[in-house]
Amino acid sequence: MRKPVIAGNWKMYKLLGEAIDTVMELKPLIINSTHCEVVVAPVFTALKSVCSRLEGSNIKIAAQNCATEQKQGAHTCEVSAEMIKDTGASHVIIGHSERRQFFSETDETVNLKTKACLESGLTAIVCVGEMLDQRESGKAETVVATQLAGALDSLTVSDMKRIIIAYEPVWAIGTGKTATPEQAQEMHAFIRRILSEKQESEVAGTVRILYGGSVKPENIKDLMTQMDIDGALVGGASLEAKSFAEIVNYK
Ligand code: PEP
Protein backbone atom coordinates (compact mmCIF):
# COMPACT_ATOMS: atom_id res chain seq x y z
CA MET A 1 0.00 0.00 0.00
CA ARG A 2 1.33 3.43 -0.97
CA LYS A 3 0.44 6.11 1.54
CA PRO A 4 -0.85 9.15 -0.36
CA VAL A 5 1.02 12.45 -0.18
CA ILE A 6 -0.68 15.82 -0.52
CA ALA A 7 1.92 18.55 -0.96
CA GLY A 8 1.41 22.29 -1.27
CA ASN A 9 3.86 24.37 -3.28
CA TRP A 10 3.66 27.96 -2.11
CA LYS A 11 6.03 29.22 -4.81
CA MET A 12 7.15 32.83 -4.19
CA TYR A 13 4.10 33.70 -2.09
CA LYS A 14 3.71 34.64 1.57
CA LEU A 15 5.84 36.79 3.82
CA LEU A 16 7.07 35.11 6.98
CA GLY A 17 4.08 36.13 9.11
CA GLU A 18 1.65 34.99 6.42
CA ALA A 19 3.36 31.62 6.12
CA ILE A 20 3.17 31.12 9.88
CA ASP A 21 -0.50 32.20 9.99
CA THR A 22 -1.36 29.76 7.21
CA VAL A 23 0.26 26.74 8.85
CA MET A 24 -1.25 27.62 12.23
CA GLU A 25 -4.69 27.75 10.56
CA LEU A 26 -4.00 24.52 8.68
CA LYS A 27 -2.79 22.51 11.66
CA PRO A 28 -6.15 21.95 13.42
CA LEU A 29 -7.96 21.42 10.11
CA ILE A 30 -5.92 18.34 9.28
CA ILE A 31 -5.04 17.08 12.73
CA ASN A 32 -6.98 13.85 12.19
CA SER A 33 -5.88 13.31 8.60
CA THR A 34 -3.86 10.15 9.04
CA HIS A 35 -4.76 8.68 5.64
CA CYS A 36 -2.05 10.74 3.91
CA GLU A 37 1.21 12.58 4.43
CA VAL A 38 0.88 16.35 4.28
CA VAL A 39 3.73 18.55 3.08
CA VAL A 40 3.91 22.31 2.56
CA ALA A 41 6.70 24.16 0.76
CA PRO A 42 7.21 27.77 1.86
CA VAL A 43 9.97 30.06 0.58
CA PHE A 44 13.48 29.54 1.99
CA THR A 45 13.24 32.53 4.33
CA ALA A 46 10.26 31.01 6.13
CA LEU A 47 11.52 27.43 6.40
CA LYS A 48 13.08 27.54 9.83
CA SER A 49 10.28 29.46 11.54
CA VAL A 50 7.55 27.37 9.96
CA CYS A 51 9.36 24.15 10.92
CA SER A 52 9.60 25.34 14.53
CA ARG A 53 5.85 26.05 14.65
CA LEU A 54 5.08 22.59 13.25
CA GLU A 55 7.26 20.50 15.53
CA GLY A 56 5.33 17.41 16.59
CA SER A 57 2.54 18.01 14.06
CA ASN A 58 1.58 15.85 11.08
CA ILE A 59 2.67 18.50 8.56
CA LYS A 60 6.07 18.09 6.93
CA ILE A 61 8.01 20.91 5.35
CA ALA A 62 9.66 21.07 1.95
CA ALA A 63 12.00 23.52 0.29
CA GLN A 64 11.27 24.39 -3.34
CA ASN A 65 14.81 23.94 -4.63
CA CYS A 66 18.34 23.19 -3.46
CA ALA A 67 21.89 23.58 -4.71
CA THR A 68 23.59 20.99 -6.89
CA GLU A 69 26.68 21.42 -4.73
CA GLN A 70 26.74 19.52 -1.51
CA LYS A 71 29.74 21.08 0.17
CA GLN A 72 29.74 24.57 1.60
CA GLY A 73 31.60 26.94 -0.65
CA ALA A 74 31.68 30.05 -2.77
CA HIS A 75 28.27 29.61 -4.41
CA THR A 76 26.57 32.95 -3.85
CA CYS A 77 22.83 32.71 -3.16
CA GLU A 78 22.72 28.91 -3.25
CA VAL A 79 21.24 26.86 -0.39
CA SER A 80 22.49 23.31 0.07
CA ALA A 81 20.44 20.26 0.93
CA GLU A 82 22.33 20.04 4.22
CA MET A 83 21.32 23.62 5.06
CA ILE A 84 17.70 22.80 4.26
CA LYS A 85 17.89 19.76 6.52
CA ASP A 86 19.32 22.04 9.21
CA THR A 87 16.10 24.11 9.20
CA GLY A 88 14.05 21.04 10.12
CA ALA A 89 12.60 20.52 6.62
CA SER A 90 12.33 16.96 5.36
CA HIS A 91 11.51 17.29 1.64
CA VAL A 92 12.67 19.27 -1.39
CA ILE A 93 10.72 19.89 -4.61
CA ILE A 94 13.15 19.45 -7.48
CA GLY A 95 12.81 20.24 -11.17
CA HIS A 96 9.52 22.10 -10.99
CA SER A 97 8.54 23.23 -14.48
CA GLU A 98 8.92 26.88 -13.47
CA ARG A 99 12.56 26.14 -12.54
CA ARG A 100 13.03 24.29 -15.83
CA GLN A 101 11.36 27.04 -17.92
CA PHE A 102 12.69 30.18 -16.24
CA PHE A 103 15.81 29.20 -14.29
CA SER A 104 17.68 26.89 -16.66
CA GLU A 105 17.03 23.72 -14.69
CA THR A 106 18.06 20.69 -16.73
CA ASP A 107 17.67 16.95 -16.28
CA GLU A 108 21.31 16.91 -15.23
CA THR A 109 20.88 19.51 -12.48
CA VAL A 110 17.70 17.75 -11.35
CA ASN A 111 19.76 14.58 -11.02
CA LEU A 112 22.51 16.29 -9.03
CA LYS A 113 20.00 17.99 -6.74
CA THR A 114 18.12 14.74 -6.20
CA LYS A 115 21.36 13.02 -5.17
CA ALA A 116 22.26 15.94 -2.89
CA CYS A 117 18.87 15.62 -1.15
CA LEU A 118 19.21 11.89 -0.70
CA GLU A 119 22.73 12.23 0.70
CA SER A 120 21.44 14.73 3.23
CA GLY A 121 18.62 12.44 4.27
CA LEU A 122 15.89 14.50 2.61
CA THR A 123 13.06 13.21 0.44
CA ALA A 124 13.17 14.51 -3.12
CA ILE A 125 9.90 15.32 -4.88
CA VAL A 126 11.06 15.11 -8.47
CA CYS A 127 8.83 16.91 -10.99
CA VAL A 128 8.36 15.92 -14.61
CA GLY A 129 5.81 16.93 -17.22
CA GLU A 130 5.33 17.90 -20.83
CA MET A 131 4.44 21.25 -22.42
CA LEU A 132 1.21 21.72 -24.35
CA ASP A 133 2.81 21.55 -27.81
CA GLN A 134 4.62 18.36 -26.82
CA ARG A 135 1.32 16.76 -25.79
CA GLU A 136 -0.42 17.97 -28.93
CA SER A 137 2.31 16.56 -31.14
CA GLY A 138 2.12 13.17 -29.42
CA LYS A 139 5.46 13.52 -27.64
CA ALA A 140 4.26 13.61 -24.02
CA GLU A 141 5.49 10.13 -23.13
CA THR A 142 8.87 10.60 -24.80
CA VAL A 143 9.41 13.89 -22.98
CA VAL A 144 8.48 12.44 -19.60
CA ALA A 145 10.59 9.32 -20.20
CA THR A 146 13.62 11.48 -21.06
CA GLN A 147 13.12 13.69 -18.01
CA LEU A 148 12.84 10.63 -15.78
CA ALA A 149 15.89 8.93 -17.26
CA GLY A 150 17.95 12.07 -16.64
CA ALA A 151 16.58 12.82 -13.19
CA LEU A 152 16.97 9.30 -11.88
CA ASP A 153 20.26 8.46 -13.56
CA SER A 154 22.40 6.14 -11.40
CA LEU A 155 20.02 6.15 -8.44
CA THR A 156 20.10 2.90 -6.50
CA VAL A 157 17.16 0.81 -5.33
CA SER A 158 17.45 2.28 -1.85
CA ASP A 159 17.58 5.82 -3.33
CA MET A 160 14.40 5.09 -5.28
CA LYS A 161 12.63 4.15 -2.08
CA ARG A 162 13.22 7.70 -0.83
CA ILE A 163 11.94 9.70 -3.75
CA ILE A 164 8.51 10.86 -4.81
CA ILE A 165 7.69 11.66 -8.43
CA ALA A 166 5.30 14.47 -9.34
CA TYR A 167 3.77 14.37 -12.80
CA GLU A 168 2.79 17.92 -13.66
CA PRO A 169 1.72 18.57 -17.23
CA VAL A 170 2.90 22.13 -17.78
CA TRP A 171 -0.30 23.06 -19.63
CA ALA A 172 -2.29 22.31 -16.48
CA ILE A 173 -0.20 24.34 -14.01
CA GLY A 174 -1.95 27.49 -12.87
CA THR A 175 -4.23 27.42 -15.91
CA GLY A 176 -7.36 25.96 -14.35
CA LYS A 177 -7.08 23.20 -16.98
CA THR A 178 -6.71 19.88 -15.18
CA ALA A 179 -5.72 16.71 -16.96
CA THR A 180 -8.71 14.38 -16.81
CA PRO A 181 -8.31 11.63 -14.22
CA GLU A 182 -7.95 9.19 -17.13
CA GLN A 183 -5.24 11.27 -18.85
CA ALA A 184 -3.35 11.54 -15.58
CA GLN A 185 -3.74 7.84 -14.81
CA GLU A 186 -2.44 6.95 -18.26
CA MET A 187 0.77 8.93 -17.70
CA HIS A 188 1.16 7.70 -14.12
CA ALA A 189 0.89 4.09 -15.30
CA PHE A 190 3.46 4.87 -18.01
CA ILE A 191 5.83 6.34 -15.39
CA ARG A 192 5.42 3.28 -13.20
CA ARG A 193 6.18 1.06 -16.20
CA ILE A 194 9.38 3.01 -16.84
CA LEU A 195 10.36 2.66 -13.19
CA SER A 196 9.80 -1.07 -13.33
CA GLU A 197 12.03 -1.32 -16.41
CA LYS A 198 14.72 0.72 -14.66
CA GLN A 199 14.45 -0.93 -11.25
CA GLU A 200 12.86 -4.02 -9.81
CA SER A 201 9.07 -3.99 -10.03
CA GLU A 202 8.98 -4.08 -6.22
CA VAL A 203 10.46 -0.56 -6.24
CA ALA A 204 8.18 0.67 -9.01
CA GLY A 205 5.23 -0.51 -6.96
CA THR A 206 6.24 1.50 -3.92
CA VAL A 207 7.24 4.87 -5.42
CA ARG A 208 4.53 7.48 -4.88
CA ILE A 209 3.54 9.36 -8.04
CA LEU A 210 1.71 12.63 -7.41
CA TYR A 211 -0.38 14.53 -9.92
CA GLY A 212 -0.03 18.30 -10.16
CA GLY A 213 -1.86 20.85 -12.29
CA SER A 214 -4.86 22.89 -11.12
CA VAL A 215 -5.78 20.43 -8.37
CA LYS A 216 -8.69 21.82 -6.34
CA PRO A 217 -11.13 20.61 -3.69
CA GLU A 218 -13.60 19.93 -6.54
CA ASN A 219 -11.40 17.55 -8.54
CA ILE A 220 -9.13 15.83 -6.01
CA LYS A 221 -11.54 13.00 -5.26
CA ASP A 222 -11.85 11.89 -8.89
CA LEU A 223 -8.09 12.07 -9.36
CA MET A 224 -7.48 10.00 -6.23
CA THR A 225 -9.74 7.19 -7.45
CA GLN A 226 -7.16 6.37 -10.14
CA MET A 227 -4.97 3.38 -9.42
CA ASP A 228 -1.58 5.00 -9.98
CA ILE A 229 -2.29 8.46 -8.57
CA ASP A 230 -0.82 8.55 -5.08
CA GLY A 231 -1.49 12.13 -4.17
CA ALA A 232 -1.16 15.67 -5.44
CA LEU A 233 1.26 18.54 -5.71
CA VAL A 234 -0.92 21.61 -5.34
CA GLY A 235 0.00 25.20 -6.20
CA GLY A 236 -2.71 27.87 -6.11
CA ALA A 237 -5.21 25.94 -4.02
CA SER A 238 -2.61 25.29 -1.31
CA LEU A 239 -2.23 28.98 -0.47
CA GLU A 240 -5.43 29.10 1.55
CA ALA A 241 -5.47 26.80 4.58
CA LYS A 242 -9.16 25.95 4.11
CA SER A 243 -8.95 24.90 0.48
CA PHE A 244 -5.73 22.98 1.07
CA ALA A 245 -7.32 21.21 4.05
CA GLU A 246 -10.30 20.27 1.87
CA ILE A 247 -7.89 18.71 -0.61
CA VAL A 248 -6.06 16.85 2.16
CA ASN A 249 -9.41 15.64 3.52
CA TYR A 250 -10.64 14.40 0.14
CA LYS A 251 -11.79 11.09 1.57
C1 PEP B 1 2.39 23.68 -9.08
O1 PEP B 1 2.85 24.80 -9.00
O2 PEP B 1 3.11 22.69 -8.86
C2 PEP B 1 0.99 23.53 -9.45
C3 PEP B 1 0.54 22.34 -9.73
O3 PEP B 1 0.24 24.69 -9.51
P1 PEP B 1 -1.37 24.78 -9.63
O4 PEP B 1 -1.95 23.80 -8.65
O5 PEP B 1 -1.69 26.19 -9.29
O6 PEP B 1 -1.71 24.42 -11.04
Side-chain angles (χ1 to χ4, degrees):
M1 268 297 279
R2 298 183 294 267
K3 187 164 187 176
V5 180
I6 305 290
N9 173 14
W10 287 355
K11 310 192 184 197
M12 200 179 77
Y13 289 102
K14 295 187 188 292
L15 298 175
L16 178 58
E18 295 166 329
I20 291 171
D21 288 350
T22 308
V23 289
M24 296 314 279
E25 190 186 343
L26 180 64
K27 224 159 117 167
L29 299 176
I30 60 150
I31 197 155
N32 296 318
S33 312
T34 51
H35 62 282
C36 67
E37 289 172 17
V38 182
V39 182
V40 291
V43 293
F44 279 133
T45 50
L47 281 181
K48 174 80 184 150
S49 306
V50 167
C51 285
S52 308
R53 300 303 200 289
L54 292 178
E55 247 169 59
S57 85
N58 57 343
I59 305 173
K60 293 178 178 150
I61 296 298
Q64 300 171 18
N65 186 26
C66 72
T68 52
E69 295 79 13
Q70 306 194 46
K71 279 201 180 142
Q72 298 188 22
H75 307 297
T76 301
C77 200
E78 289 292 278
V79 179
S80 72
E82 189 189 11
M83 289 162 179
I84 291 167
K85 173 96 175 167
D86 195 40
T87 67
S90 52
H91 292 59
V92 183
I93 298 170
I94 299 175
H96 189 278
S97 63
E98 287 154 16
R99 304 281 331 154
R100 291 177 187 262
Q101 274 181 282
F102 309 123
F103 300 96
S104 313
E105 192 83 86
T106 64
D107 293 335
E108 194 188 352
T109 56
V110 171
N111 179 249
L112 291 170
K113 290 176 181 187
T114 301
K115 288 175 178 162
C117 282
L118 296 173
E119 271 187 36
S120 297
L122 296 165
T123 299
I125 303 177
V126 178
C127 302
V128 295
E130 80 286 357
M131 316 271 283
L132 183 59
D133 61 323
Q134 294 167 328
R135 174 157 284 262
E136 287 178 346
S137 58
K139 295 191 187 119
E141 290 191 348
T142 313
V143 168
V144 169
T146 305
Q147 289 175 341
L148 274 178
L152 308 181
D153 184 42
S154 72
L155 261 57
T156 63
V157 169
S158 72
D159 289 338
M160 288 300 296
K161 289 184 178 159
R162 290 164 46 227
I163 67 158
I164 294 171
I165 309 272
Y167 167 60
E168 301 204 301
V170 182
W171 47 271
I173 295 180
T175 58
K177 228 188 216 184
T178 325
T180 63
E182 294 72 26
Q183 273 174 323
Q185 164 58 27
E186 203 179 338
M187 187 59 89
H188 283 225
F190 173 72
I191 291 171
R192 211 176 292 289
R193 245 188 347 268
I194 294 183
L195 296 180
S196 67
E197 282 159 17
K198 183 180 159 52
Q199 301 279 359
E200 293 128 50
S201 50
E202 177 232 325
V203 176
T206 57
V207 174
R208 270 90 54 93
I209 308 175
L210 316 185
Y211 169 77
S214 299
V215 173
K216 305 211 163 10
E218 301 79 51
N219 57 24
I220 182 70
K221 208 171 177 155
D222 284 347
L223 289 161
M224 291 304 291
T225 58
Q226 301 296 319
M227 203 165 81
D228 289 293
I229 299 185
D230 307 314
L233 180 53
V234 186
S238 72
L239 294 171
E240 296 286 334
K242 282 196 186 70
S243 67
F244 188 55
E246 274 185 61
I247 294 172
V248 169
N249 297 324
Y250 63 89
K251 271 191 166 232

